[in-house]
Amino acid sequence: MKLITHNMLTSKSLKGVNVGFPLKICATEVKEVAVDFNPEFVTRMIPKLDWDALCQAAESLGCLNDLPRSVNPNHENDEEFLKKAHHVLLEVEVIEGELVCPETGRKFPVNEGIPNMLLNEDEV
Amino acid sequence: MIEIQSQMTERALELLALQEDVPCFILDIGCGSGLSGQTLEESGHFWIGVDISSAMLSVALEREVEGDMMLGDMGQGMCFRAGSFDGAISISALQWLCNADKTSHSPPKRLFKFFSTLYSCLSRGSRAVFQFYPENSEQIELITQQAMKAGFTGGLVVDYPNSTKAKKMFLVLFTGGHQKLPKALGTEEQQNTGTDHIPYSDKRERMKQIRGKAPKKSRDWILEKKERRRRQGRNVRPDTKYTGRKRSGKF
């Protein structure tokens, strides 16, 4: 599971959850992969992201490095910034671990990079 | 099989009408073994896939697809933040929501949960395109009803409606208010039939008139059918003033 996915994922489908974001990541295995840099895609995604949640998640995985805490308003032209964002969003993957709902504490296991978001009948 | 899936995905992408040459963030619902996802990748998009079968997702992992996948049940809702995606596609998956696999499942409720959560996680103005195989017209009705209830506009695009083999159904849903439905393939002879009705129905009506038979279920049709059955020697009720009478809603 890449951090870009984590930035969009919520536990809202659970009964009684209002926001369900961001999910806390408890990772036991993290991998870094190489993905082709596409500056246009990164630029388009930045306004949609919850930047604080992204920084938090990156920090918990230990890959925050020198990613700025706030988005540069002129980010389209700042290639260094886009490259760092690209790395954190697309090149870091959680392979094994758990995602925890911030409101109910319900744990969603992650196996082989795939989070299991299936809910039990009584949780829907 | 693989060829058909990728063709359908390409057609779905076409119907999605994304901006040209712009890499987008797409949701693949019922992504299965990643066939459709790979077609999305080839067009330069990044995708997230959801599927209920871990076996299928394992196959996708083996194929080393680039998209991110998750195990999830579409009838439980799309658990993403509002306005996350630029579009959504689904190939051969939507019909599964019409089955009640457990006694606790209610297909209309699950369909509504799915469509309403999908509506919120799509960005305004984007579309969702579903290629699916409906068992009958009741299923189509059920699906479109719940989609409209969730706030979508749009309708069914039927490619090659005259060919049993080539016929493909695409449910095209819009989030940004009413828009013109895309033109279906294989319907060049239809010109001004109005873009949101099934292209074949006009031709069907004309053929009916040529044959000189009464339209389905009218009193004339009922009388003709009774006559036919009498000729076959069956025991048929006499024709009275009550034959083919309009019944109240209870029936």
Side-chain angles (χ1 to χ4, degrees), chain A residues 73-87:
Chain A
N74 192 25
H75 59 257
E76 295 110 59
N77 303 316
D78 188 350
E79 192 164 320
E80 274 308 302
F81 174 74
L82 290 179
K83 280 219 172 108
K84 288 186 203 152
H86 165 84
H87 176 77

Side-chain angles (χ1 to χ4, degrees), chain A residues 30-119:
Chain A
V30 181
K31 199 168 74 167
E32 288 197 15
V33 291
V35 176
D36 291 336
F37 177 51
N38 188 335
E40 211 184 331
F41 179 69
V42 184
T43 314
R44 287 195 73 227
M45 288 308 296
I46 288 181
K48 292 199 215 189
L49 301 169
D50 183 322
W51 197 257
D52 289 329
L54 182 67
C55 291
Q56 236 180 6
E59 205 171 14
S60 72
L61 294 182
C63 61
L64 185 59
N65 302 329
D66 45 357
L67 189 71
R69 285 277 174 173
S70 57
V71 185
N72 177 2
N74 192 25
H75 59 257
E76 295 110 59
N77 303 316
D78 188 350
E79 192 164 320
E80 274 308 302
F81 174 74
L82 290 179
K83 280 219 172 108
K84 288 186 203 152
H86 165 84
H87 176 77
V88 173
L89 286 169
L90 298 172
E91 295 188 331
V92 179
E93 291 188 13
V94 178
I95 302 296
E96 300 284 328
E98 279 177 341
L99 298 171
V100 189
C101 168
E103 287 176 42
T104 59
R106 206 281 205 190
K107 300 199 172 128
F108 297 98
V110 181
N111 298 109
E112 290 187 278
I114 297 185
N116 183 342
M117 309 302 291
L118 286 171
L119 306 176

